[in-house]
Amino acid sequence: MTAGAPPRTLTTLGFNTRVSWCDGVGPADGLRDGIELYRAAEDLGYQAGWAYQRHFDHYLSSPLPFFAAVGQHTGRIRLGSAVLPMRYQDPVLLAEGAGTTDLLVGGRLELALATGSSAGWDPVFGAVEVDPRTEATRRLERFLTGVEGGVLHTVDGPGQGAPPGTPIRVTPHSPGLRERLRIGAASVGSAEAAARRGLGLITGTVLHGIAEGETFSEYQARVIATYRETWAAVQDGDPPPVAVAASVLPGTTAELRGTYAAYDLQRRTLGMAASRPPGALPAGRVRGAAGRAADQPGAPRHARRGDRRGARRPRAVRGRRAGAVPPAGLRAAGEPAADRGPGDDRGAGTGLETRHRSHRRGGIMTVIDSRTLRSTLGTFASGVVVVTAQGPDGPLGFTCQSFSSLSLDPPLVSFAPARSSTTWPRIRDVGRFCVNVLAADHEHHSTGFARSGTDKFAGVTWTPAPSGAPILEGVGAWVDCTLWNEYDGGDHTVVAARVSALGDDPDCRPLLFFRGGYALTPGAGR
């Protein structure tokens, strides 16, 4: 925290785990224990769980399939990896795996990435001609392009699986995942780079570049302050909340503390050869909020879990989870996260006391939190629009989901931008704007106009409406408007606009947003 800055409220409580296993039992039990840990943590009200990744160790080496499995046994808790060293990642394969996993878990995936490396695995993964950080940075940029839905390659000849000129993008694409990426920063320089890329920040117990006479906590505070200051200088809106990780071993008994001490000695002397010591996570110690045992001593593995699987069908496959983050920029009541201020939803909520579980079958929420409200209202399918205007310095626009018809006489429509929007105030000042109803093949417009800090109209073809506002090429409909009135809508403002001109393409299929993802409607036309 910088001097004189007001204190920040802790908005999210998570935990770290290494998902480890014992040599005597094998990795399968350790991985299942990890799933049970996430289930119990969700029962207790934790909002996030972060799993370390380690190559060639007794820890989780490939977190994405693990998170995909956890997602089928949980419905709310966010799933984070800390941290993935990009030097040894295939950026395109990682983008494909991350998109697939995020869609399977209902938009709960949060990845922490790093451009440094704590171990040199060039003899295994292969050496490169440049230094490790330069190579890791190159792979990070490639990964970000893939996750954003950007073009990785344009087919330029035969034998490439598609006609020449076809843009090649990562599939499946998970809208909104890019907004949940973080950089694991161990230095001021890494924190500054994260802010410039518009990525979140996570910092932990490993820091580099501490000045002489500077304490660890002082340097960590400087890292965080640099991130926030850089963000304010180069990005729109407030920076997302910073995640701070620390390892805490719950040594509740002298015996358990002795077990941890022995394991620490093994790790210091044997390194990766040290496996999780027996007794570090004994049967019956992982429990849910109601105190039910996740494992019963002496029971075979299938018997210990079979009854719970039958009684509690995996929630994530029944629909979007409570608190799923919608695609980039889309929110249940309005405008994109980028225009609201990146990370607004990452810190949503007031703490554990508001996180009462909502059971999907017959459950009733006694306390309504923002994530659960957004998740429930996400079952209402809606179209996606881009609101545009011609400003004094060029065209303006933002993605919006909360658009609807309001009145026939007089002809009025409405939409609801967030109060933190930086684009809507500039459009309001113009007083005339156009609502573009996106077509099914306009996902790139939905994503592009949801971002901040970029030229949203770069490469976009449009023609002027009577008001001069851009009509995007190929939209299903356009509605030219003048501002009628604005009303208080909580954390949004409700805009009523009078229709002055409009047009549509009757053969066009709309772009739909439903339960955290884009959906297509059946029928003829585009």
Side-chain angles (χ1 to χ4, degrees):
M1 182 183 304
T2 56
R8 291 175 179 251
T9 303
L10 177 68
T11 57
T12 300
L13 182 62
F15 67 91
N16 291 334
T17 179
R18 284 175 168 78
V19 190
S20 56
W21 56 83
C22 306
D23 282 334
V25 180
D29 269 36
L31 294 171
R32 294 190 186 103
D33 280 339
I35 294 175
E36 295 292 349
L37 177 62
Y38 275 82
R39 289 174 63 161
E42 181 170 275
D43 286 346
L44 291 168
Y46 283 88
Q47 291 114 348
W50 296 78
Y52 287 89
Q53 183 261 2
R54 294 288 188 275
H55 289 299
F56 317 116
D57 208 325
H58 289 78
Y59 297 155
L60 189 65
S61 60
S62 185
L64 294 181
F66 173 77
F67 288 142
V70 172
Q72 308 313 304
H73 295 270
T74 58
R76 173 188 55 78
I77 193 167
R78 304 202 300 278
L79 312 173
S81 71
V83 292
L84 302 179
M86 289 305 299
R87 165 63 186 90
Y88 300 118
Q89 301 292 331
D90 182 302
V92 177
L93 294 181
L94 181 62
E96 290 175 337
T100 301
T101 302
D102 194 46
L103 292 171
L104 286 173
V105 303
R108 290 185 280 152
L109 185 64
E110 298 190 12
L111 296 181
L113 313 164
T115 54
S117 178
S118 58
W121 294 119
D122 284 7
V124 180
F125 290 97
V128 293
E129 296 181 354
V130 297
D131 66 273
R133 184 172 293 277
T134 298
E135 178 64 16
T137 301
R138 183 193 70 80
R139 297 188 184 204
L140 173 63
E141 296 296 343
R142 187 73 166 165
F143 169 75
L144 293 178
T145 299
V147 167
E148 291 167 357
V151 177
L152 298 172
H153 171 69
T154 300
V155 175
D156 55 6
Q160 298 180 29
T166 302
I168 303 300
R169 296 182 171 89
V170 163
T171 59
H173 173 59
S174 181
L177 176 57
R178 208 254 189 220
E179 307 299 322
R180 285 173 271 120
L181 301 178
R182 298 177 183 268
I183 287 292
S187 68
V188 167
S190 295
E192 182 178 350
R196 294 190 180 280
R197 291 189 177 96
L199 298 172
L201 182 74
I202 182 170
T203 181
T205 56
V206 177
L207 294 177
H208 307 299
I210 300 177
E212 185 176 353
E214 189 175 30
T215 66
F216 178 92
S217 59
E218 290 171 343
Y219 183 65
Q220 188 174 64
R222 183 155 65 92
V223 168
I224 296 172
T226 299
Y227 171 76
R228 290 171 174 161
E229 291 164 1
T230 305
W231 185 287
V234 302
Q235 305 288 350
D236 291 336
D238 295 329
V242 174
V244 177
S247 296
V248 179
L249 298 176
T252 53
T253 65
E255 179 185 4
L256 192 54
R257 289 192 292 274
T259 299
Y260 287 144
Y263 179 52
D264 180 65
L265 179 60
Q266 282 186 328
R267 293 295 298 186
R268 293 175 184 273
T269 55
L270 301 179
M272 297 180 301
S275 72
R276 189 181 83 188
L281 189 64
R285 190 159 288 173
V286 180
R287 294 180 178 271
R292 61 181 182 273
D295 297 290
Q296 294 299 324
R301 174 66 59 179
H302 68 276
R304 284 183 257 159
R305 290 187 174 83
D307 57 335
R308 291 188 65 184
R309 284 190 184 125
R312 181 182 179 188
R313 187 161 60 97
R315 283 170 279 157
V317 300
R318 297 203 297 270
R320 186 172 145 216
R321 55 111 184 170
V325 180
L330 298 186
R331 294 295 182 266
E335 199 187 342
D339 271 325
R340 291 176 58 182
D344 283 358
D345 295 312
R346 292 181 227 182
T350 57
L352 295 179
E353 70 278 2
T354 66
R355 299 295 180 177
H356 292 212
R357 161 166 290 171
S358 175
H359 293 281
R360 289 295 187 187
R361 288 176 290 186
I364 298 176
M365 285 292 296
T366 57
V367 178
I368 305 300
D369 68 90
S370 61
R371 290 184 180 276
T372 303
L373 178 64
R374 189 182 306 112
S375 172
T376 302
L377 298 185
T379 61
F380 178 73
S382 67
V384 185
V385 303
V386 171
V387 181
T388 63
Q390 185 59 255
D393 299 320
L396 303 166
F398 66 90
T399 305
C400 186
Q401 186 191 355
S402 58
F403 171 74
S404 66
S405 171
L406 183 61
S407 169
L408 295 178
D409 186 16
L412 299 176
V413 295
S414 69
F415 56 90
R419 290 194 178 278
S420 58
S421 169
T422 58
T423 303
W424 167 243
R426 290 182 284 168
I427 294 180
R428 179 204 295 125
D429 291 343
V430 175
R432 300 181 302 278
F433 42 86
C434 184
V435 178
N436 294 261
V437 180
L438 298 187
D441 57 354
H442 281 169
E443 184 178 327
H444 61 290
H445 282 333
S446 175
T447 303
F449 281 91
R451 297 194 182 106
S452 61
T454 62
D455 181 1
K456 299 179 181 180
F457 283 88
V460 175
T461 303
W462 59 274
T463 57
S467 67
I471 300 175
L472 307 183
E473 183 179 49
V475 294
W478 58 272
V479 184
D480 211 23
C481 306
T482 57
L483 181 61
W484 174 269
N485 210 336
E486 279 190 274
Y487 305 92
D488 178 32
D491 56 8
H492 286 63
T493 179
V494 180
V495 177
R498 182 164 188 141
V499 178
S500 56
L502 71 168
D504 73 295
D505 177 356
D507 295 323
C508 181
R509 287 189 299 162
L511 180 66
L512 292 183
F513 178 56
F514 174 69
R515 284 190 168 178
Y518 294 112
L520 300 179
T521 55
R526 255 193 348 266

